Amino acid sequence: MSLRREAGAPAVDAGPRWIHRRMIAIGAIAIGLLGALAVRAFAVQIDHHGHFVDLARRQHILTVEVPAPRGAIYDARGHEIAVTADIDSIYASPRDISDPGAAARAIAPILGDDAVALAKKLDGDGYFVWLERHVSSDLAGRVKKLGIEGIHITKEPRRYYPGGAIAGPVIGFADIDGKGLDGIELSLDDLLAGDKAEIPALRDAHGNVVLPASAGSATPGAQVTLTLDRFIQFVSERALMESVTANDAVAGCAVVLDVASGSVLAMANFPAYDSNNPGPGLSHRARNRAITDVYEVGSVMKVFTIAAALDAGVVTPDTEFDIHGGRFKYGGHVFHDSYHDEVLDVGGILKRSSNVGALQIADRLGKERLVTALRRYGFGKATGIELPGERAGVVRKPDDFGMLGLATLSFGYGMTATNLQVAAALAAVGNGGVYHAPRIIREVRAASGEVLYRSEPPARQIMSPGTAAMLLPMMKSVFDKGRDGGTARHVHIAGYVAGGKTGTAHKVDPKTGQYGDHLYLGSFAGLAPIDHPRIAVVVIIDEPRGDAYYGAQVAAPVFASIVPATLRYLGLPAEADAAADDADPDEADAPAAPPPKPPIIIGPAPGSAPREVLAASGKQVSVPDFSGLGMARAIALAHKAGLQIETSGTGRAVTQTPPPGHHTATRVRITFRPERESMSPPASGDEVP
């Protein structure tokens, strides 16, 4: 019997075949996935190994920069001028802050910030953002007490200036990151900054930085010792500020140099700024004007015109010149003096500040020798002091000017100089003609103690010792009292005998390009004690806008304040002080810098005389000639004549109404003016460059 499969019966191997095919498909997929994974693993571990290793390192390993402590700055006696101290700063790690809005609302009132703006800072995946830098410990403590995860307090170095505004524009300041931006902080920034350390560190799972236990440290910046003395600086700044303020001047500067070395003992400026907060001062254009501003300093330059002539042998101190009553025509131009001297020797020309005499000395010397001497004295080139922004000034070539330029150059016009240049040249006069380039850095030492820089400027003989010695008594005579005294006869140096030279110059009005009738520069340059000079002091008052504007009125009083305080501080005993005994009684009531005053009526009781200056009483009165008299003598003479006297100004009488003679007057009006130092103002018949 044969067996046959009935029609329609299912095949017995259908199920096993389907399972077999599915297993094959799954195996193929698995093999494909494993192959792709193998390829990817090969790519990650072989082809792109370096890239992913670097990525991992950047996620977990970082380099932390540790700032170096900025080097300290000290004055000549070791007092701290600029130091660095750690101070709290607040930062956030946004990725660790769960609720940026809530955190911002909690912190904003403490920091005084806007909560919305702060929330934007805190909302992100970053690891670091500053919230507030250099805050008080109290404020940092209040933020820390909030206990907000992701908000951190850290210490940062901050520059601090214990003296505040003392020597602000000279010291300069550093920004919040410790970079010097002005003054010594800028010029020595590379040395003061030190070398920061770069330390490898790890981030933990929360992104916190974990420093290794053996982390290195940064190299602190160098220590800088100045020649500047904090006390002398303070005295100079105070005296300068008082004069600038009292005379409503635009600005002022003063330099005090040690004659023997050229070291800067003080460099004062007003306006100035507090290095801890320089913004307000900078907004008033505070800067180190002693080196950044150049001036036509006026009659102070007569010292160097005379020095050049003495050195060349074309004059001696006793050489006399015809002054022509203070009015002299030269090269087609008329020059004037304030005094009406007929004959003056060289010393008298300096004492009386005669333009007529100075230009005749320059004429005898010649422009080539004068220019050569001025450049030898340091004018027309920068001194090289270790401060930023120093200007060189200008001394023109002899071929660039003629007789007029020679005349005006002899008394300080047609050339420009900085206060420091004048002080350095003057110090050489007090140092037997030996010039030291002025320096303000005494020494720079590395943190290791190694000396990196020491100020040792070379000395050079810029004028003969004999010339320097001859100039000293001439400068001393500028303080001579009496009617025939010097231009600084009203200035009193308490306890010491000094020498100097006043200067008053017109300034060019930048709007017109011409010399302004009311734009002045008052200056004074001097040495003390004059017999054995120890210090040179130069004071410049820029654009005094009160009634007083002559150098003897606005700058010499600053000199008179600085010198006694400085010399006493340096240990020099006071000298015999007989200045008061030499005072001219006519000048007793004439202050060096009188404040503006309304006319003063002196005489019979108010109401007993008519208000008019001229009264037709019918009685003839002999009115004296008051011209040239001081106020005290004029008052006495008016009383003797039975006259009331109405005065304005101070100094000596220059005009009177009515004029001398017999008049029906009961009152006389007299105008007094200080005997101004000679200069050529821009007026008809006068020549000013």
Side-chain angles (χ1 to χ4, degrees):
M1 172 178 150
S2 61
L3 295 176
R4 295 183 179 179
R5 182 170 62 90
E6 295 181 3
V12 295
D13 59 349
R17 289 178 182 174
W18 177 83
I19 293 172
H20 179 70
R21 285 195 295 269
R22 187 169 65 175
M23 290 179 66
I24 292 173
I26 292 172
I29 292 171
I31 291 171
L33 291 173
L34 288 172
L37 184 61
V39 171
R40 179 60 178 165
F42 181 85
V44 169
Q45 297 192 32
I46 305 300
D47 282 355
H48 302 292
H49 171 78
H51 168 73
F52 288 105
V53 168
D54 183 61
L55 183 63
R57 284 175 178 169
R58 280 187 286 151
Q59 284 183 325
H60 298 283
I61 301 175
L62 72 157
T63 299
V64 176
E65 289 187 352
V66 178
R70 195 169 177 84
I73 301 175
Y74 302 95
D75 83 339
R77 303 206 177 200
H79 299 119
E80 292 179 335
I81 299 293
V83 295
T84 299
D86 285 340
I87 191 168
D88 290 322
S89 289
I90 305 169
Y91 74 94
S93 177
R95 68 179 300 160
D96 297 330
I97 299 174
S98 58
D99 189 343
R105 288 190 295 273
I107 299 172
I110 299 175
L111 301 184
D113 287 345
D114 177 71
V116 175
L118 186 57
K120 290 181 180 179
K121 278 188 177 182
L122 301 178
D123 187 12
D125 293 327
Y127 285 103
F128 183 90
V129 61
W130 284 117
L131 298 187
E132 197 73 40
R133 301 177 69 182
H134 296 181
V135 301
S136 67
S137 57
D138 176 65
L139 189 148
R142 290 168 61 192
V143 171
K144 188 175 183 179
K145 282 182 180 179
L146 295 175
I148 301 174
E149 186 175 359
I151 303 298
H152 306 281
I153 311 296
T154 188
K155 294 289 186 181
E156 273 198 296
R158 178 180 184 250
R159 204 60 164 165
Y160 178 64
Y161 304 89
I166 292 179
V170 178
I171 304 302
F173 60 96
D175 66 11
I176 196 168
D177 293 311
K179 183 174 179 58
L181 296 182
D182 195 15
I184 290 169
E185 292 278 30
L186 173 59
S187 62
L188 299 186
D189 186 53
D190 289 344
L191 293 171
L192 288 165
D195 295 320
K196 62 187 177 183
E198 294 186 347
I199 304 170
L202 295 175
R203 283 196 183 100
D204 63 17
H206 297 286
N208 297 314
V209 176
V210 180
L211 291 174
S214 60
S217 59
T219 303
Q223 310 291 309
V224 176
T225 301
L226 307 180
T227 63
L228 184 143
D229 188 286
R230 187 175 63 176
F231 175 80
I232 302 173
Q233 180 74 21
F234 169 75
V235 167
S236 302
E237 288 183 357
R238 180 179 60 184
L240 183 69
M241 178 188 67
E242 290 174 352
S243 180
V244 171
T245 303
N247 295 290
D248 192 25
V250 169
C253 56
V255 170
V256 182
L257 294 186
D258 181 276
V259 163
S261 65
S263 297
V264 176
L265 302 179
M267 185 176 282
N269 295 273
F270 190 85
Y273 58 72
D274 184 337
S275 294
N276 293 302
N277 182 26
L282 292 175
S283 67
H284 287 85
R285 300 182 181 179
R287 59 181 179 270
N288 190 1
R289 297 172 188 270
I291 63 169
T292 63
D293 290 17
V294 293
Y295 310 91
E296 290 180 308
V297 294
S299 291
V300 164
M301 296 305 298
K302 289 172 184 170
V303 172
F304 305 107
T305 298
I306 292 173
L310 291 171
D311 246 358
V314 299
V315 298
T316 69
D318 298 326
T319 302
E320 293 186 338
F321 290 87
D322 187 348
I323 306 302
H324 304 279
R327 188 176 186 277
F328 184 64
K329 189 172 184 179
Y330 179 81
H333 302 274
V334 178
F335 294 86
H336 293 265
D337 287 347
S338 292
Y339 305 123
H340 305 296
D341 299 302
E342 294 296 335
V343 176
L344 291 173
D345 61 18
V346 171
I349 289 170
L350 189 68
K351 171 182 175 179
R352 304 284 277 178
S353 196
S354 170
N355 289 343
V356 171
L359 70 87
Q360 291 185 74
I361 292 174
D363 180 72
R364 185 174 293 191
L365 179 64
K367 58 184 181 179
E368 288 81 6
R369 285 190 290 187
L370 178 56
V371 167
T372 298
L374 292 176
R375 289 179 174 165
R376 188 170 67 249
Y377 300 158
F379 298 107
K381 59 184 177 182
T383 68
I385 194 167
E386 312 96 333
L387 288 167
E390 184 187 16
R391 295 178 65 185
V394 175
V395 177
R396 292 181 294 171
K397 297 178 181 178
D399 293 341
D400 292 342
F401 59 90
M403 292 180 67
L404 171 61
L406 176 62
T408 55
L409 182 60
S410 72
F411 49 83
Y413 285 95
M415 65 166 285
T416 58
T418 65
N419 183 315
L420 184 63
Q421 286 175 320
V422 177
L426 187 68
V429 174
N431 194 34
V434 177
Y435 178 94
H436 289 278
R439 294 292 180 261
I440 198 168
I441 306 297
R442 174 176 292 173
E443 186 179 82
V444 180
R445 284 183 179 269
S448 63
E450 177 189 359
V451 175
L452 303 177
Y453 170 84
R454 182 171 285 143
S455 175
E456 296 176 348
R460 58 188 177 92
Q461 196 82 35
I462 63 171
M463 66 182 69
S464 72
T467 292
M470 287 185 284
L471 285 169
L472 297 182
M474 296 184 196
M475 294 174 65
K476 180 180 178 180
S477 72
V478 171
F479 289 97
D480 284 354
K481 310 298 179 182
R483 181 169 298 180
D484 296 325
T487 54
R489 64 184 175 278
H490 295 302
V491 181
H492 176 60
I493 313 297
Y496 297 91
V497 179
K501 183 68 192 77
T502 52
T504 308
H506 277 279
K507 292 186 64 180
V508 173
D509 187 338
K511 296 179 180 178
T512 65
Q514 303 294 321
Y515 284 84
D517 290 337
H518 303 291
L519 297 177
Y520 296 96
L521 187 83
S523 59
F524 190 88
L527 297 166
I530 194 60
D531 292 334
H532 300 283
R534 178 71 181 274
I535 58 173
V537 182
V538 178
V539 180
I540 291 176
I541 305 297
D542 191 8
E543 292 187 32
R545 292 169 290 191
D547 285 350
Y549 54 86
Y550 302 113
Q553 295 175 302
V554 298
V558 180
F559 176 88
S561 294
I562 293 172
V563 166
T566 299
L567 294 182
R568 286 195 300 267
Y569 174 72
L570 295 176
L572 275 69
E575 302 170 291
D577 186 5
D581 298 334
D582 298 332
D584 182 349
D586 288 346
E587 304 298 336
D589 297 324
K597 293 181 179 179
I600 301 172
I601 299 175
I602 304 171
S608 62
R611 297 180 62 85
E612 297 82 0
V613 174
L614 295 178
S617 62
K619 181 180 179 181
Q620 292 285 317
V621 178
S622 178
V623 177
D625 183 0
F626 296 93
S627 60
L629 298 182
M631 187 177 291
R633 183 170 294 179
I635 292 172
L637 188 59
H639 284 184
K640 186 176 180 180
L643 295 167
Q644 282 188 317
I645 179 172
E646 177 181 332
T647 72
S648 62
T650 59
R652 292 191 179 275
V654 292
T655 62
Q656 68 178 82
T657 305
H662 287 82
H663 302 278
T664 56
T666 59
R667 183 184 304 174
V668 61
R669 178 187 294 126
I670 304 177
T671 300
F672 296 84
R673 289 180 185 166
E675 288 190 2
R676 52 174 286 187
E677 162 200 353
S678 299
M679 60 170 289
S680 294
S684 177
D686 293 345
E687 190 57 54
V688 175

